[in-house]
């Protein structure tokens, strides 16, 4: 019982911190993947926008789904949602609480990716270089529209032969990066203010309901873990009994067939118990063959 | 038994995390292998595609098989699948569950390899450089080449040092285009895999939860039963060996004493355990003979019940005297020559 109590305490205290840890790891992984990723804008008129916006939005979706997969609570919530009512009522507030806590944690890594890519600027420069107004930039004001599109599309590629020493390219690039970073910092500020307000204002609304929902969601989580633990314990005991029973039945069979003398010695009693009456090579072979060909019924 | 119980508990509770750890290590190993691998595109028309697609598809297949090999439960699955029915019915759902969980874990390292390869772009650039749309990307003013020549020139795109088609289509333009396609494919692949994993994990509670709980319990049970049986057999073998060896030494010492025509010396009552452990063998010659006898003819694998003290020496072999004849399946080939 003592061991179980220790395990309870471990699960109780660490369920939240395990999830927070996974959340943080995914956020770090998101930054790492972004820095390792070799961003290469195609610098072609229609492809730029697709590529730029794709790199900005597709990995966050994948990261979001990854967070949901790695979070154990999402399974708990789904099981609670889909279980038949039976003799236990379903509390929608608990399910809503679980859902919101899962979503909040799952949104961290995608938001980190979006903010890092905006602050870096490459995605937005690639996506919107074809959409700037060429009138504002000296180098592009005098070309024909088709040529302008081609030239603007090549702005993200610094090493392109046409763009290598073009000062207007740098101007467009700086302009777009400025917008990108402004957007990035604004989003970061808004999110932090929203998180701050949510945490501060939450006690003003429905604190009692919230406490209840949190308690019961923890309860469901722990109950499931303990159920799995108990099943493991049970299957271990079941297997133990099954094997002992099997050895016992083999011993009976051997006794039946071999009419051996009753044991009188005291000295080897301990070892003989362990031997279970199986004391010959052919007996062992028969036991092993029986185990393979006819496992005992469950 | 208590120690074994603790170890079983640990293994059982951590079986899943152990397998997840192996899975994660293989995924990291796969990414590391790719970065350590020195990719060399052949830059020849027909070889490019074979090389590029080969590097993209063959290592994942190998990693998938390796994922199965490294999984301890594969032998358990095979055993359960092939065992004769006997008195215990076979549950197909349990077999399916075991196979699915192993396959899911084995899929991770290949998926990582394919994603990293696509996101890097070298394989697709090498494989499809001859299919670049020259009409849209190239210089329109260049005189047209024959099909074969064009392919030969385009095949050299990945090898910048020997590329000679700069007037036809700029090297950087082609590489950027191909890499863009490759990375788009890579991210789509990653999205597809995570969506599939998410669906598999989240649809299960909606449909088959009860069957899933049953299969999971019985697959754990089979695993534990196998381990416990191995443990019990090991314990049994240990006891068997101990008694067998003890009887061998007793037989040796009695036999030698009989050969020297005096009764076996009983250790004095106050000599302690050390004298007991000597088992009556107390000089070099006797020990050598014991070792030689052990090597030349090991005792039969048949333990007799602890013998009552009897006058005629060798009490360590053969059948108990009042044994009614029963059909023996094996011929006795191990009798001692003493």
């Amino acid at each position: 019982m003592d061991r179980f109590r220790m395990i309870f305490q471990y699960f109780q205290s660490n369920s939240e911190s395990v999830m927070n840890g996974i959340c943080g790891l995914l956020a770090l992984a998101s930054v790492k993947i972004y820095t390792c990723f070799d961003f290469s804008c195609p610098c072609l008129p229609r492809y730029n926008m697709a590529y730029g916006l794709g790199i900005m939005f597709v990995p966050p979706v994948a990261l979001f789904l990854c967070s949901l997969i790695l979070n154990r609570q999402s399974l708990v919530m789904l099981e609670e949602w889909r279980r038949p009512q039976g003799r236990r009522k379903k509390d929608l507030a608990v399910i809503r609480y679980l859902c919101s806590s899962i979503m909040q944690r799952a949104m961290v890594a995608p938001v980190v990716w979006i903010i890092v890519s905006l602050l870096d600027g490459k995605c937005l420069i690639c996506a919107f270089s074809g959409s700037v107004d060429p009138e504002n930039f000296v180098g592009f004001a005098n070309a024909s529209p088709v040529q302008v599109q081609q030239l603007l599309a090549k702005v993200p590629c610094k090493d392109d032969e046409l763009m290598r020493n073009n000062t207007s390219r740098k101007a467009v690039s700086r302009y777009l990066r400025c917008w990108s970073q402004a957007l990035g910092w604004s989003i970061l500020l808004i999110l932090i203010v929203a998180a701050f307000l949510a945490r501060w204002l939450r006690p003003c609304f429905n604190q009692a309901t919230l406490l209840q929902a949190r308690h019961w969601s923890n309860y469901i989580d722990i109950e499931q873990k303990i159920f799995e633990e108990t099943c493991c314990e049970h299957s271990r005991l079941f297997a133990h009994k099954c094997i002992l029973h099997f050895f016992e039945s083999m011993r009976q069979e051997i006794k039946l067939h071999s009419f051996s003398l009753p044991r009188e010695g005291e000295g080897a009693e301990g070892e003989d118990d362990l031997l279970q009456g199986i004391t010959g090579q052919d007996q062992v072979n028969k036991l092993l063959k029986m185990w393979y060909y006819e496992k005992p019924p469950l | 038994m208590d120690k074994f119980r603790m170890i079983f508990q640990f293994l059982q509770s951590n079986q899943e995390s152990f397998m997840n750890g192996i899975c994660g290590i293989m995924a990291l190993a796969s990414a590391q292998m790719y970065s350590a691998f020195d990719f060399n595109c052949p830059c020849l028309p027909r070889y490019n595609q074979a090389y590029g697609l080969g590097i993209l598809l063959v290592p994942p297949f190998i990693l998938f098989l390796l994922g199965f090999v490294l999984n301890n439960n594969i032998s358990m699955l095979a055993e359960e699948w092939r065992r004769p029915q006997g008195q215990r019915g076979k549950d197909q759902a349990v077999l399916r569950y075991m196979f699915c969980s192993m396959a899911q874990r084995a899929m991770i390292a290949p998926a990582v390899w394919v994603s990293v390869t696509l996101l890097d772009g070298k394989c697709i650039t090498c494989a499809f450089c001859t299919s670049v749309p020259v009409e849209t990307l190239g210089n329109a003013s260049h005189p047209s080449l024959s099909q074969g020549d064009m392919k030969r020139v385009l095949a050299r795109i990945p090898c910048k040092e020997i590329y000679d088609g700069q007037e036809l289509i700029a090297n950087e333009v082609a590489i950027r285009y191909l890499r863009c396609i490759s990375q788009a494919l890579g991210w789509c692949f990653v999205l597809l895999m995570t969506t599939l994993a998410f669906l598999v994990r989240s649809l299960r509670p909606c449909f088959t939860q009860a069957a899933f709980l049953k299969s999971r319990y019985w697959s754990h049970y089979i695993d534990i039963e196998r381990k416990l049986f191995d443990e019990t057999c090991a314990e049994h073998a240990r006891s068997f060996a101990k008694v067998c060896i003890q009887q061998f030494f007793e037989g040796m010492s009695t036999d030698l004493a009989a050969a020297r025509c005096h009764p076996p010396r009983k250790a004095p009552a106050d000599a302690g355990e050390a004298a007991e452990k000597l088992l009556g063998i107390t000089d070099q010659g006797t020990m050598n003979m014991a070792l030689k006898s052990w090597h030349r003819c090991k005792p039969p694998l048949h333990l007799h019940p602890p013998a009552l003290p009897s006058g005629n020496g060798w009490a360590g072999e053969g059948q108990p005297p009042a044994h009614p004849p029963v059909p023996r399946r094996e011929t006795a080939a191990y009798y001692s020559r003493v």
Side-chain angles (χ1 to χ4, degrees):
Chain A
M1 266 331 273
D2 204 22
R3 191 169 36 119
F4 275 115
R5 199 176 308 140
M6 273 169 56
I7 295 176
F8 285 168
Q9 278 171 342
Y10 170 78
F11 283 143
Q12 173 67 39
S13 64
N14 281 19
S15 178
E16 294 265 331
S17 34
V18 163
M19 285 189 308
N20 287 343
I22 291 187
C23 183
L25 273 175
L26 267 179
L28 284 175
S30 148
V31 174
K32 180 78 180 144
I33 293 174
Y34 184 82
T35 46
C36 289
F37 177 63
D38 188 13
F39 186 93
S40 70
C41 195
C43 295
L44 299 165
R46 279 180 304 273
Y47 289 70
N48 275 4
M49 173 117 33
Y51 185 82
L53 293 181
I55 297 296
M56 202 152 88
F57 292 119
V58 167
V61 174
L63 284 167
F64 180 73
L65 291 174
C66 249
S67 312
L68 289 181
I69 291 170
L70 291 176
N71 194 341
R72 214 183 150 278
Q73 260 196 349
S74 56
L75 265 185
V76 167
M77 182 199 82
L78 272 173
E79 279 169 22
E80 177 64 17
W81 183 39
R82 297 298 301 172
R83 73 171 167 89
Q85 180 128 343
R87 293 199 288 202
R88 186 189 285 188
K89 274 198 331 249
K90 281 209 262 201
D91 190 357
L92 282 177
V94 171
I95 296 176
R96 271 198 308 264
Y97 172 83
L98 277 172
C99 194
S100 77
S101 116
I102 292 166
M103 289 293 165
Q104 281 167 26
R105 287 197 173 88
M107 292 289 282
V108 171
V111 162
V112 165
W113 176 280
I114 291 178
I115 289 180
V116 168
S117 64
L118 282 174
L119 293 179
D120 189 33
K122 287 191 287 226
C123 285
L124 233 65
I125 294 176
C126 185
F128 293 109
S129 67
S131 318
V132 297
D133 187 6
E135 304 297 321
N136 298 335
F137 300 98
V138 171
F140 300 119
N142 301 327
S144 70
V146 172
Q147 227 177 359
V148 154
Q149 279 304 312
Q150 294 271 350
L151 284 175
L152 283 175
K154 288 194 191 290
V155 159
C157 300
K158 289 196 265 271
D159 299 326
D160 193 76
E161 49 195 354
L162 289 175
M163 289 282 142
R164 211 158 282 163
N165 293 320
N166 195 328
T167 45
S168 304
R169 179 198 70 78
K170 290 180 194 158
V172 173
S173 180
R174 272 200 306 267
Y175 173 76
L176 285 169
R177 182 172 283 161
C178 156
W179 269 106
S180 169
Q181 289 180 344
L183 198 58
W185 285 116
S186 315
I187 291 180
L188 188 60
L189 186 66
I190 290 174
L191 284 175
I192 290 184
V193 166
F196 174 77
L197 286 176
R199 251 174 113 88
W200 268 77
L201 296 181
R202 205 199 302 157
C204 303
F205 301 101
N206 289 336
Q207 182 67 353
T209 324
L210 180 74
L211 286 175
Q212 273 176 6
R214 191 162 67 177
H215 175 266
W216 290 115
S217 71
N218 268 347
Y219 171 80
I220 293 170
D221 193 17
I222 288 188
E223 191 188 45
Q224 203 188 39
K225 279 181 193 136
I226 292 177
F227 181 73
E228 283 168 18
E229 270 290 319
T230 315
C231 279
C232 291
E233 200 41 56
H234 184 268
S235 71
R236 199 191 59 78
L237 289 170
F238 197 121
H240 190 54
K241 281 258 151 34
C242 194
I243 289 168
L244 281 180
H245 187 70
F246 176 74
F247 271 82
E248 188 59 41
S249 69
M250 283 301 296
R251 183 181 6 192
Q252 302 289 351
E253 213 174 296
I254 286 162
K255 268 207 184 115
L256 229 51
H257 282 153
S258 58
F259 305 103
S260 56
L261 292 176
R263 288 197 315 264
E264 292 187 23
E266 276 299 323
E269 218 23 75
E271 291 297 341
D272 278 341
D273 267 348
L274 287 168
L275 285 174
Q276 310 266 8
I278 292 158
T279 51
Q281 186 186 27
D282 51 344
Q283 290 164 0
V284 172
N285 287 342
K286 184 171 179 218
L287 180 139
L288 294 172
K289 205 159 81 160
M290 274 295 269
W291 181 256
Y292 176 67
Y293 279 106
E294 295 183 19
K295 282 209 164 75
L298 289 167
Chain B
M1 223 30 220
D2 205 28
K3 183 171 47 119
F4 289 120
R5 195 177 306 149
M6 272 171 59
I7 293 176
F8 281 144
Q9 195 79 22
F10 171 77
L11 275 179
Q12 182 54 45
S13 66
N14 283 15
Q15 178 80 335
E16 297 273 328
S17 34
F18 177 71
M19 294 315 305
N20 289 343
I22 295 244
C23 203
I25 287 175
M26 275 196 62
L28 284 174
S30 147
Q32 185 61 31
M33 263 189 336
Y34 180 79
S35 50
F37 175 66
D38 188 17
F39 188 91
N40 274 318
C41 195
C43 293
L44 298 166
R46 278 185 302 273
Y47 289 68
N48 276 4
Q49 196 152 12
Y51 185 83
L53 291 179
I55 298 294
L56 181 64
L57 298 171
V58 168
F61 182 67
I62 296 174
L63 286 169
F64 183 68
L65 290 178
L66 203 61
F68 271 108
V69 163
L70 289 180
N71 194 333
N72 294 334
N73 293 344
I74 187 78
S75 57
M76 181 175 85
L77 174 64
E79 252 178 60
E80 179 62 17
W81 184 37
R82 297 297 304 163
R83 76 170 166 89
Q85 183 128 342
Q87 295 175 18
R88 185 189 288 186
K90 278 212 261 199
D91 192 356
Q92 293 295 329
V94 172
L95 291 171
R96 270 198 309 265
Y97 168 81
M98 289 201 283
F99 181 73
C100 282
S101 79
M102 279 195 283
Q104 280 167 24
R105 288 199 171 88
M107 291 274 284
I108 291 188
V112 167
W113 176 279
V114 171
S115 318
V116 170
T117 308
L118 288 174
L119 292 177
D120 189 35
K122 288 193 285 230
C123 280
I124 297 286
T125 306
C126 184
F128 295 109
C129 54
T130 48
S131 319
V132 167
V134 183
E135 313 78 38
T136 41
L137 298 177
N139 296 329
S141 55
H142 193 265
S144 59
L145 295 167
S146 71
Q147 199 70 337
D149 275 343
M150 176 98 77
K151 283 217 180 311
R152 202 182 36 81
V153 167
L154 289 177
R156 296 207 181 139
I157 286 175
C159 303
K160 292 196 200 37
E161 315 82 45
I162 58 171
Y163 184 60
D164 54 356
Q166 200 69 6
E167 304 82 37
L168 174 63
I169 175 171
N171 189 280
E172 302 85 29
V173 171
I175 288 188
R176 273 197 309 258
Y177 174 80
L178 288 165
R179 188 181 277 175
C180 156
I181 302 271
S182 173
Q183 287 179 345
L185 278 176
W187 283 117
C188 290
F189 178 77
V190 167
L191 188 62
L192 183 69
M193 286 286 120
T194 43
T195 312
L196 270 176
F198 175 72
L199 285 176
V200 162
R201 222 168 129 90
S202 59
L203 290 184
R204 199 229 319 131
C206 302
F207 293 110
T208 51
Q209 184 67 357
F212 166 76
L213 286 174
K214 202 172 67 150
S215 311
R216 191 171 64 174
Y217 178 85
W218 289 116
S219 80
H220 279 167
Y221 173 81
I222 291 169
D223 189 26
I224 285 189
E225 189 190 49
R226 193 175 67 133
K227 285 185 184 120
L228 265 177
F229 184 75
D230 288 342
E231 260 316 307
T232 316
C233 283
E235 282 277 328
H236 186 273
R238 206 189 64 84
S239 311
F240 197 118
K242 194 164 164 191
V243 175
C244 192
I245 290 169
Q246 210 157 7
Q247 287 177 355
F248 170 75
F249 271 99
E250 276 165 14
M252 279 299 300
S253 87
T254 320
D255 191 46
L256 284 168
R260 287 182 205 150
C261 301
H262 56 77
R265 270 189 322 230
K266 286 268 185 293
D270 55 350
E273 275 188 28
E276 283 258 335
K277 286 200 171 119
L278 284 176
L279 299 168
I281 295 171
T282 47
D283 62 271
Q284 189 184 28
T286 321
M287 191 66 221
N288 287 342
M289 198 162 308
L291 292 171
K292 206 156 63 166
S293 175
W294 179 254
H295 172 67
R296 288 250 176 84
C297 49
K298 288 206 162 74
L301 288 170
H302 181 81
L303 306 177
H304 56 86
L308 301 169
S310 58
N312 47 352
W314 188 240
E317 73 156 69
Q319 320 298 326
H323 196 88
V326 289
R328 308 294 275 169
R329 279 191 223 114
E330 271 184 7
T331 53
Y334 299 109
Y335 279 93
S336 161
R337 277 187 290 117
V338 176

